[in-house]
Amino acid sequence: MMSTRTAHLPEVTDETFAEEVLRSEVPVLVDFTADWCPPCRMVAPVLAHIAAEREGTLKVVSLDVDRNPATQAAYSVMSMPTLVLFRDGEPTRSVVGAHPERRLVEALGLEETR
């Protein structure tokens, strides 16, 4: 069964994280999420819209923390959803919780990724 979240965003795993996120040529917004998390489901359509608007200049992916504990631990993610923006393989900004699109774009500094 496909979750709402994966219907909108490509999923990365502990195994694919380095290739898909750390070695990406464009900034990557990672949605650390879980199927049991209601705020995660609330933010999924917002993230899908951000991804569609910035296709080619920003990659947006999700990582299920229950199935990928190594990456969750490596970045000390304790609350879901946590959104982390990676540039050149380094986490540069993060936001915890579900927020309106404008707030996410401002907090993560995504204005220049259009």
Side-chain angles (χ1 to χ4, degrees), residues 17 32 68-77:
F17 190 84
F32 287 86
N68 300 284
T71 304
Q72 176 192 7
Y75 293 98
S76 303
V77 173

Side-chain angles (χ1 to χ4, degrees), residues 18-104:
E19 180 64 31
E20 294 293 324
V21 177
L22 302 182
R23 291 194 277 279
S24 176
E25 293 184 10
V26 297
V28 182
L29 180 58
V30 179
D31 173 25
F32 287 86
T33 188
D35 287 335
W36 48 261
C37 166
C40 298
R41 289 190 293 276
M42 289 172 46
V43 79
V46 173
L47 296 175
H49 186 254
I50 289 172
E53 280 196 330
R54 291 164 174 79
E55 188 174 354
T57 59
L58 175 72
K59 186 181 341 181
V60 184
V61 299
S62 68
L63 181 128
D64 185 298
V65 297
D66 292 328
R67 292 192 299 268
N68 300 284
T71 304
Q72 176 192 7
Y75 293 98
S76 303
V77 173
M78 303 304 285
S79 299
M80 272 46 79
T82 293
L83 307 172
V84 181
L85 181 66
F86 287 80
R87 290 182 187 272
D88 300 318
E90 295 295 323
T92 59
R93 296 194 185 193
S94 65
V95 173
V96 176
H99 299 279
E101 182 173 349
R102 192 182 94 241
R103 163 85 173 92
L104 289 177

